[in-house]
């Protein structure tokens, strides 16, 4: 065994470094063979070897003039070289106590001359030698040029070993990546920095029915639905130009010829300087999810349509009942207007197709209120409820409460307040204030206000419940001489609770 007691490396370290090269017991390779042939020629020796010292043997990656691939460690010249600083030169082995009894020396025609240069790992552990041997003594050893050439060639051997190790690591890494990618349910792909597709996992070929290599480059786009190809290319080119993540939904042709909706995503991989070196992406079959979404939309639209019809039926029943009971006419009319306000709110926020989209505006608070106040117009249709301030995203969870609040406000203003006078009007200011949303209703030009009512009517109670019970806000009424002022102070999230929930999810 090698005595490493005086070295910074241990025998275990050395053997571990040797195993890490992955070189032991591999086939001969021209690159190593060329080195030993050149070493023998330059040093004018019959034998040259790339010798690696294993635990119990010396193994030759390349040799010329020896005729074997390994010999027992006991006969090795090179194991002594491992204890030298960088090289070992033995001019006459018969006169060297370390080798005089070596069978390779004492045999007829045995070796007399040896010169070897260490092969060392990056950590300095000696793995073996590049050495030359001769059957005649050389008292003068090697010339400086020969020794320098041997050192250069030894360095070249280590370069080849490092390259082999790097390639082995790359192959192992690629094998692990392939195994991981092939185990994923998604289709996985990769491109060069310029967007040239050069890798698809097994799932891609299983789904599309294509052969490996047939969709490299731009061949993948032929599998997209004709209506989606140009859009997919446009989004892909944009990502290549900007480095932004790629994401798009398109229809991809399956191996049976059917097109299925697919979600495509990709992210750029950058080097230390920030330059894109590759793109890695996935394709996920989302066709079943699309079908479920379509089904949910149809059910939602059907349910919404039935609710709309229920509003109409209830309103008609109230009108019919009022004809049979004339004494309830005022109550009937008030109830019908409230039902109609709820119907308008429902119409605004219910699920729609492109054909059935409401004409009352987009899903914002101002659009909804403008539609609600449209019946309250003055001369030549001029609006009498003037909106100003910040708009807000609006959803169905807030629509009913807002509809009831401002229906009551407008109805009361038309009966008793500013809108009962032809010259009266109302301003409604909306504004964001940190985590609050404030709505201020001000009546102008109406009959003078003499004070607050002595009792709260049903409409007032309903408005309070809508703001404080449903929207979680505060409602304040100021009965000023120049007109009623109503202030609704709401949480900023009250008008679009679904959106707020998504942000915190």
């Amino acid at each position: 065994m090698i005595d490493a007691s005086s070295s910074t490396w241990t025998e275990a370290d050395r053997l571990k470094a040797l195993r890490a090269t992955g070189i032991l017991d591999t086939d001969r390779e021209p690159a190593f063979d060329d080195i030993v042939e050149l070493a023998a020629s330059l040093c004018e020796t019959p034998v040259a070897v790339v010798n690696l010292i294993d635990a119990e043997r010396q193994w030759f990656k390349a040799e010329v003039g020896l005729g074997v691939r390994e010999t027992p460690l006991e006969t090795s010249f090179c194991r002594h070289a491992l204890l030298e600083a960088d090289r070992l030169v033995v001019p006459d082995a018969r006169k060297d106590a370390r080798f005089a009894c070596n069978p390779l020396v004492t045999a007829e025609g045995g070796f007399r001359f040896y010169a070897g240069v260490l092969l060392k790992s990056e950590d300095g552990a000696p793995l073996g030698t590049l050495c030359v041997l001769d059957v005649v003594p050389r008292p003068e050893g090697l010339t400086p040029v020969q020794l320098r050439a041997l050192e250069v060639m030894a360095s070249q051997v280590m370069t080849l070993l490092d390259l082999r190790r790097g390639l082995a690591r790359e192959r192992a890494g690629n094998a692990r990546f392939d195994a991981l990618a092939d185990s994923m349910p998604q289709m996985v792909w990769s491109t060069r920095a310029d967007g040239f597709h050069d890798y698809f996992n097994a799932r891609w070929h299983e789904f599309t029915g294509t052969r490996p290599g047939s969709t490299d480059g731009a061949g993948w786009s032929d599998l997209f639905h004709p209506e989606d190809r140009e859009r997919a290319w446009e989004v892909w080119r944009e990502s290549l130009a900007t480095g932004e993540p790629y994401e798009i939904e398109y229809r991809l042709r399956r191996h049976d010829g059917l097109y299925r909706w697919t979600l495509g995503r990709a992210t750029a991989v950058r080097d230390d300087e920030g330059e894109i070196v590759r793109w890695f992406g996935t394709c996920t079959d989302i066709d079943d999810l699309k079908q479920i979404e379509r089904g949910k939309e149809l059910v939602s639209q059907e349910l919404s349509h039935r609710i709309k019809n229920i509003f109409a039926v209830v309103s008609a029943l109230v009108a019919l009942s009022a004809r049979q009971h004339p004494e309830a006419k005022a109550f009937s009319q008030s109830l019908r207007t409230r039902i109609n306000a709820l119907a308008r709110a429902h119409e605004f926020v219910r699920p729609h197709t492109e054909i059935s989209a409401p004409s009352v505006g987009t899903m914002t608070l101002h659009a909804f209120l403008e539609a609600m106040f449209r019946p309250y117009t003055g001369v030549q249709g001029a609006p009498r409820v003037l909106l100003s301030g910040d708009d807000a995203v609006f959803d169905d969870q807030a629509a009913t409460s807002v509809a009831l609040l401002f229906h009551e406000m407008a109805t009361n203003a038309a009966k008793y307040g500013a809108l009962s006078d032809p010259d009266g009007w109302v301003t409604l200011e909306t504004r964001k204030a940190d985590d609050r949303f404030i709505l201020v209703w001000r009546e102008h030009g109406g009959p003078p206000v003499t004070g607050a009512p002595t009792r709260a009517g049903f409409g007032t109670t309903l408005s309070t419940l809508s703001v404080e019970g449903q929207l979680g806000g505060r409602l304040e009424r100021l009965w000023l001489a120049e007109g009623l002022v109503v202030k609704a102070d709401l949480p900023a999230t009250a008008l679009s609770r679904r959106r707020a929930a998504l942000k915190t999810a």
Side-chain angles (χ1 to χ4, degrees), residues 156-174:
Q156 185 63 27
V157 169
M158 287 310 303
T159 298
L160 290 174
L161 289 178
D162 289 340
L163 286 173
R164 279 183 55 89
R165 183 165 53 184
L167 289 172
R169 287 176 177 172
E170 183 178 354
R171 284 193 293 268
N174 288 340

Side-chain angles (χ1 to χ4, degrees), residues 313-326 332 336:
V313 169
V314 171
S315 182
L317 288 173
V318 171
L320 182 61
S321 298
R323 294 192 190 101
Q324 296 174 345
H325 302 279
S332 168
R336 287 186 66 198

Side-chain angles (χ1 to χ4, degrees), residues 371-431:
M372 174 166 284
F373 297 142
R374 196 166 292 149
Y376 302 96
T377 57
V379 179
Q380 297 181 344
R384 300 181 68 194
V385 180
L386 307 179
L387 275 170
S388 65
D390 301 321
D391 204 351
V393 177
F394 191 59
D395 66 20
D396 57 332
Q397 294 194 24
T400 299
S401 300
V402 172
L404 288 174
L405 169 65
F406 287 105
H407 167 74
E408 295 302 323
M409 301 293 297
T411 299
N412 289 336
K415 288 181 179 179
Y416 318 111
L419 299 183
S420 66
D421 191 305
D423 296 326
W425 77 97
V426 176
T427 59
L428 178 55
E429 178 189 359
T430 62
R431 71 176 186 275

